[in-house]
Amino acid sequence: MTTRQDVRPAPQPFFRARRSGTATLAAVLAVALTVAGTPEPVSASVPKVAQKWSSLMYHSLTPSPAYLRIRKTLAAQRAALVTQSARVTKGRTAHAAAQAEFATAVTADAAARTRYAIARESLASARNRLAVVSQQRPRNGGAVAGAKVTVTAAAKSVTTSSVEARKAAVALKAAQAAARTATTYLDRTVVAWQRTSAAIRTNQQRLIALDRSAQYAAQAAALSREVVTEVRATFKVADTTSVNGITVHRSVAFSFRRMIADAQADGVALSGGGFRTKKQQIALRKSNGCPDVWTAPPSSCRVPTAIPGRSLHELGLAIDMTSGGRTLTSDSAGFRWLSEHADEYGFVNLPSEPWHWSITGG
């Protein structure tokens, strides 16, 4: 149980390297992960179970080298997929245009061939007509002259349509080649896109297989109550350390530092008050109007406050969280962020106090 405290230490820089949950691995876009330092060293007096909790959380929050290599590969593959997708789109546009041009060229070639054939038939008819009128007796000079004019015009039409037919044939050949080129380009870009997509899916599955963060976090959570018991039996103030101005037990320092840094990276500035001595707990009980410092239940105080010797604050295993200098409330951005992410870092909320977070939720 805790009291509302407004603690606002100066912010300190921290390199963000949050592990990604498996639910976000199919997404389109990605961010490379890096190992952010090493866990806070623990003193020899810190119980082994607390050291194990710290080690489990470190491994939960720190991607393995193999995981990082695949993430780096995935980032490159996703970038390549964006480029390949643009090429496929460009290829489909070019292919459609080439096919349309080819279809137009086929139609134009057929029309030109038809005109050329008709012109040749007209020329043959004109020549036959000239032969007929030339052989008629008595000779009709006007008819012969007219037939010759018709033959000349038909011959000219044949020449013109022949040129047009040759041009149409050349255009058809060029359109056909362009269509083949566009088809080849499209096929190649689609195959490349498909291969990269398949490689991304394979690497996503590899990441899922390598991601043991949830297992480590669950194992740490299963030890949390034992950690409290063992730490309470051997606790010394020397077992605490400062994280961004907040005093916590050394065993939770690494995960707490990561949580504060990752929240900051998401635009949520978190701070708070952690460790307090038994003397401070006694003073807090008195100021919160508990009927009796040593025996009255926490709920009997104006603000629920643990009996001295029972508060996790006295072990540095609980923090009263603030944001922007204000105690968290259930509708605050800080509380919403913690509700979604705090368990990744080994912290649990006390339901009756939105600001109170500890490794057991007590």
Side-chain angles (χ1 to χ4, degrees):
M1 303 288 183
T2 58
T3 185
R4 297 172 180 260
Q5 295 184 352
D6 291 344
V7 182
R8 199 179 203 179
Q12 299 180 13
F14 184 82
F15 189 79
R16 185 184 188 196
R18 181 190 303 172
R19 66 175 179 83
S20 292
T22 56
T24 63
L25 294 175
V28 143
L29 318 262
V31 178
L33 296 178
T34 54
V35 178
T38 56
E40 185 75 20
V42 295
S43 65
S45 65
V46 173
K48 289 185 177 180
V49 67
Q51 296 183 37
K52 184 175 182 179
W53 187 97
S54 181
S55 177
L56 286 168
M57 289 310 305
Y58 174 77
H59 285 93
S60 174
L61 294 168
T62 306
S64 68
Y67 188 96
L68 290 173
R69 283 195 299 271
I70 294 177
R71 281 303 298 263
K72 184 177 180 180
T73 300
L74 261 176
Q77 289 173 335
R78 285 171 175 149
L81 191 66
V82 171
T83 300
Q84 290 167 353
S85 295
R87 288 174 180 170
V88 169
T89 299
K90 177 182 176 181
R92 284 175 175 161
T93 300
H95 182 263
Q99 290 297 322
E101 185 68 23
F102 177 60
T104 300
V106 168
T107 301
D109 178 71
R113 288 175 181 274
T114 300
R115 287 194 297 272
Y116 178 55
I118 292 173
R120 290 178 64 185
E121 290 177 2
S122 296
L123 177 59
S125 296
R127 284 174 174 169
N128 290 335
R129 174 63 181 167
L130 176 60
V132 169
V133 297
S134 295
Q135 293 174 5
Q136 287 179 344
R137 294 293 181 269
R139 180 182 177 83
N140 187 335
V144 171
K148 287 181 178 180
V149 170
T150 301
V151 168
T152 300
K156 183 177 180 180
S157 179
V158 167
T159 300
T160 301
S161 62
S162 175
V163 171
E164 291 177 350
R166 284 195 296 271
K167 288 181 178 179
V170 170
L172 175 60
K173 187 176 181 179
Q176 192 173 32
R180 282 197 298 267
T181 299
T183 299
T184 300
Y185 177 84
L186 178 59
D187 288 344
R188 287 176 177 173
T189 56
V190 168
V191 168
W193 182 89
Q194 290 172 337
R195 287 175 177 171
T196 302
S197 297
I200 287 174
R201 288 193 296 271
T202 297
N203 280 328
Q204 286 172 342
Q205 292 302 315
R206 289 176 179 170
L207 279 186
I208 292 173
L210 286 171
D211 185 7
R212 300 183 60 194
S213 55
Q215 293 173 256
Y216 288 132
Q219 291 173 20
L223 295 175
S224 60
R225 294 192 180 280
E226 187 179 350
V227 170
V228 171
T229 300
E230 296 298 323
V231 167
R232 180 171 280 127
T234 62
F235 178 77
K236 297 179 179 64
V237 176
D239 296 333
T240 63
T241 188
S242 178
V243 175
N244 288 21
I246 306 167
T247 302
V248 297
H249 196 273
R250 288 181 182 275
S251 61
V252 303
F254 174 78
S255 58
F256 183 66
R257 180 182 291 112
R258 283 288 303 274
M259 184 172 75
I260 296 298
D262 289 350
Q264 181 69 46
D266 283 344
V268 179
L270 294 176
S271 188
F275 170 74
R276 53 178 175 256
T277 64
K278 182 177 289 188
K279 182 178 179 180
Q280 291 172 322
Q281 188 70 18
I282 292 170
L284 192 60
R285 288 272 290 182
K286 291 178 178 178
S287 67
N288 284 340
C290 303
D292 182 86
V293 171
W294 299 102
T295 61
S299 59
S300 66
C301 309
R302 284 194 299 271
V303 176
T305 310
I307 294 172
R310 298 182 185 179
S311 173
L312 294 185
H313 283 282
E314 295 175 61
L315 305 176
L317 297 176
I319 304 96
D320 288 343
M321 302 300 299
T322 64
S323 182
R326 296 183 179 182
T327 300
L328 295 190
T329 60
S330 58
D331 61 348
S332 64
F335 178 79
R336 289 194 296 271
W337 190 93
L338 288 168
S339 296
E340 184 176 353
H341 299 290
D343 62 333
E344 299 173 19
Y345 307 88
F347 291 93
V348 184
N349 177 238
L350 179 65
S352 60
E353 300 178 5
W355 59 91
H356 182 87
W357 297 80
S358 68
I359 67 169
T360 64

